Amino acid sequence: MSLVELIAQADERGLAASGLACLDRCVPLLGGDDEVLRPVWASLSDGAGADEWGERLEQARGKLDAADAGDEAAALARRMLEAAPAERSAADVRVWADACSVASLQIHRLLDTAEDEASSVDSRREGRTDGMSPLVAAELRRQITVLEVLAGHGPAGLRRALELSVEGRRVLRAVVSRRSRQQG
């Protein structure tokens, strides 16, 4: 199933986690530490109150607010954070998760030193993966896996989704670090 199809079928928690996972993997571009979004993740658990998502998201925004969006990749990450809906309604998180998916793939495409043969990331999300660059391919796999895990395991899949985000964040942090050493 393509990423576009998985997003279309995901429930509200899966969509929120999908968007959050994309944002979480891009936190290195916003100058955030590994724990900055952890409280927002916790708001997706069964025991969390309905208003916790918005409150914790606002706290995370405050911590990441000082980061400067110095280039296109960082600006895309900043927009993901700013566009996160205050209320976790299915309609709002569906739009946000879809936009985060595109933005995160585009960020990975911008940062990848290998060339991606597709004219846009949309074809990648629809399942056409020939000539895909390694960094974009890994991000696409993570996005698909997050949605599959949450669809198959519900709230119990949140831990695996977070693990995938941590892994992706480490990869992106290394790419950003290598890039800054080459430019500096």
Side-chain angles (χ1 to χ4, degrees), residues 115-130:
E115 193 66 33
D116 191 326
E117 295 175 9
S119 60
S120 76
V121 296
D122 292 333
S123 64
R124 303 311 187 194
R125 290 170 21 97
E126 294 166 357
R128 294 188 296 278
T129 58
D130 292 340

Side-chain angles (χ1 to χ4, degrees), residues 68-117:
D68 177 34
D71 62 10
E72 187 179 354
L76 285 167
R78 165 76 44 217
R79 276 190 289 240
M80 274 195 275
L81 177 64
E82 291 170 355
E87 289 188 30
R88 212 178 76 194
S89 71
D92 290 342
V93 291
R94 184 173 310 283
V95 170
W96 180 64
D98 194 57
C100 286
S101 169
V102 171
S104 186
L105 286 167
Q106 185 61 30
I107 286 167
H108 285 76
R109 185 179 180 162
L110 288 167
L111 297 176
D112 202 334
T113 55
E115 193 66 33
D116 191 326
E117 295 175 9

Side-chain angles (χ1 to χ4, degrees), residues 3 17-30 34 37 41 77 80 97 100-101 104-105 107-108 111 135 138-147 160-174 176:
L3 180 58
S18 175
L20 184 57
C22 289
L23 176 61
D24 198 2
R25 288 188 295 276
C26 295
V27 159
L29 295 168
L30 299 174
D34 289 348
L37 292 177
W41 278 101
M80 274 195 275
C100 286
S101 169
S104 186
L105 286 167
I107 286 167
H108 285 76
L111 297 176
L135 199 59
E139 174 59 13
L140 181 65
R141 276 192 308 277
R142 283 186 197 95
Q143 288 187 27
I144 288 170
T145 304
V146 163
L147 286 162
R160 178 68 181 130
L162 180 57
E163 289 169 359
L164 287 164
S165 279
V166 168
E167 171 193 313
R169 189 177 339 112
R170 286 183 187 137
V171 169
L172 196 67
R173 191 175 305 282
V176 169

